[in-house]
Amino acid sequence: MALKCTTKAGLSDQDPGSSGADYLVRHCTLRQLQLLEAIVRLGSFTRAAEELFLTQPTVSMQIKKLAESIGTPLFHHVGRTVEPTDAGREVYAACRDILNGLANLETKLADLKGLRRGRLRLGVMTTATYVAPEILGAFCQRYTGIDVSLNVTNRDQLLERLCAQDDDLYVMGQHHDFGQEVEAVPFAPNPLVMIARSDHPLVGQPGIPMSRLADEDLLLREPGSGVRDAVLGHFARSGVEPRVRMQLGSSETIKHAILGGLGISALSLHSVRLESGGGRFAVLDVEGFPIRRRWHIVYSRSRELSLVARTFLDFAIASEPDIRAQLDEAMAALRRVSGLPAAVATSSAIPTGVIS
């Protein structure tokens, strides 16, 4: 719906330069500004359309109308991407102010209504999809009136969303030194375990030294992955040069590669929890594993958390005992497949509050 405002007497309704803010208020819509913000942030009309559940022709038409209202082009094509013109960047800056102002207003109105209604926007790293949706689902069952959105993306794009304050809270695995502007609250263990197919020759061997893994084909996540950095860091500290056979873009792809006999890999225990009792995967008893890591809920200190966001943060922290129990059960099942005795070196060995 277009915003409406009374036009000053004597000013032309056709000249955007002659009527100041009144003209833009009458001829631009909040939806158009939202579309422009998404296009600039995502660098693509198509991705903006997908994020906002619109067709690309609709997005193109609305941006064309916005450009006509402003009286100048807002984008130009650079290869397969689009970049804002000088005017587009100015409009984008104004969009951010307007949309952030509306988001803050929505937060205050929701707080006045309590937890009967409200919205939660959660940004999640790809690897956190093994833990975040379950917590979010349990939260929604308790607070049925909350409208939630879950934005899943890689670490670099999630950091961009954090800088732009596109979401209320963010779930990240690797702890970053954000300084004083960002708060990172650890809320659940995220141990990395060395996984192999159940018939791998190393399965069942106790106390495997890291030097032994130099002879194995290692499957790794893509560059920039926090899991990859943690695994390579552990190899480096052990003085071992890994033989990397493949770099793959997701934990699911790595699991399929393991089952295909292409190698072994260090994965989050969360990512193999559902398959732990199936007998296809086994955990290797390698020195220094599990690598102790934690999930964090991250948010910007410059933006006040809504009542809904604060409640979800507390809810996630309170879920830690249940998460630990699930991981302990998964680890025990993987060790049974491996023929190894039960051990305490599971998620329970990770002290609450450890950040890595």
Side-chain angles (χ1 to χ4, degrees):
M1 179 183 298
L3 296 176
K4 295 183 179 180
C5 183
T6 303
T7 304
K8 294 180 180 179
L11 294 180
S12 169
D13 211 22
Q14 302 298 322
D15 180 9
S18 65
S19 53
D22 286 347
Y23 182 90
L24 296 179
V25 168
R26 295 185 63 194
H27 292 274
C28 300
T29 69
L30 288 175
R31 190 59 159 172
Q32 289 171 349
L33 298 180
Q34 183 186 39
L35 288 172
L36 182 136
E37 186 278 333
I39 295 168
V40 174
R41 173 165 46 82
L42 300 172
S44 166
F45 276 65
T46 300
R47 291 175 62 188
E50 292 173 350
E51 180 175 279
L52 297 173
F53 302 102
L54 297 172
T55 64
Q56 184 171 339
T58 298
V59 172
S60 299
M61 178 183 67
Q62 290 299 320
I63 293 300
K64 180 180 179 181
K65 289 182 177 180
L66 180 61
E68 290 174 350
S69 297
I70 293 175
T72 184
L74 299 174
F75 292 97
H76 58 84
H77 289 272
V78 179
R80 295 184 176 181
T81 64
V82 292
E83 291 186 358
T85 61
D86 290 342
R89 280 189 287 270
E90 293 294 334
V91 177
Y92 172 76
C95 286
R96 295 297 312 177
D97 291 339
I98 293 170
L99 296 177
N100 283 336
L102 290 174
N104 290 333
L105 173 61
E106 184 180 40
T107 295
K108 294 182 184 300
L109 294 176
D111 285 353
L112 292 175
K113 299 173 183 175
L115 285 173
R116 292 173 298 170
R117 295 183 61 185
R119 176 182 298 180
L120 176 68
R121 291 166 293 190
L122 194 63
V124 176
M125 281 183 59
T126 306
T127 50
T129 54
Y130 297 102
V131 62
E134 291 186 16
I135 297 176
L136 189 59
F139 180 78
C140 290
Q141 288 179 3
R142 177 174 296 184
Y143 303 104
T144 56
I146 304 301
D147 180 23
V148 301
S149 65
L150 186 66
N151 297 296
V152 181
T153 185
N154 61 38
R155 183 176 62 179
D156 290 342
Q157 291 182 350
L158 198 63
L159 291 175
E160 291 179 2
R161 294 185 68 88
L162 173 60
C163 291
Q165 299 186 23
D166 291 325
D167 307 287
D168 299 306
L169 300 170
Y170 303 84
V171 179
M172 298 182 178
Q174 184 173 349
H175 180 260
H176 297 266
D177 183 10
F178 293 113
Q180 299 298 316
E181 297 180 356
V182 172
E183 184 75 24
V185 181
F187 77 97
N190 180 28
L192 303 184
V193 293
M194 189 61 72
I195 296 294
R197 198 168 71 175
S198 58
D199 60 353
H200 191 280
L202 291 180
V203 171
Q205 296 187 21
I208 302 169
M210 281 293 296
S211 57
R212 175 63 180 82
L213 296 189
D215 300 326
E216 297 297 322
D217 290 326
L218 185 66
L219 308 174
L220 282 180
R221 287 290 304 270
E222 76 285 359
S225 163
V227 172
R228 173 195 176 96
D229 293 344
V231 173
L232 290 181
H234 185 62
F235 271 88
R237 288 188 295 272
S238 302
V240 177
E241 182 70 27
R243 188 171 71 190
V244 179
R245 183 172 188 178
M246 287 184 178
Q247 301 178 103
L248 302 169
S250 71
S251 297
E252 289 300 310
T253 306
I254 288 178
K255 287 191 290 185
H256 284 290
I258 291 173
L259 293 177
L262 294 176
I264 63 175
S265 183
L267 295 172
S268 168
L269 183 54
H270 290 276
S271 68
V272 291
R273 179 172 63 86
L274 296 180
E275 299 98 341
S276 60
R280 299 190 300 170
F281 294 105
V283 64
L284 299 183
D285 188 18
V286 180
E287 64 178 0
F289 282 87
I291 297 176
R292 299 179 178 185
R293 290 167 58 84
R294 289 184 63 80
W295 294 116
H296 301 82
I297 293 183
V298 178
Y299 59 91
S300 173
R301 289 176 174 171
S302 64
R303 180 173 172 179
E304 182 180 357
L305 288 182
S306 67
L307 177 60
V308 173
R310 293 195 303 271
T311 303
F312 179 80
L313 176 60
D314 293 338
F315 185 89
I317 294 173
S319 300
E320 180 170 10
D322 291 336
I323 296 172
R324 286 177 176 271
Q326 293 171 357
L327 293 180
D328 287 342
E329 182 180 348
M331 185 62 137
L334 290 169
R335 291 182 68 86
R336 285 195 297 269
V337 172
S338 304
L340 296 168
V344 296
T346 64
S347 67
S348 296
I350 303 175
T352 301
V354 170
I355 300 177
S356 61

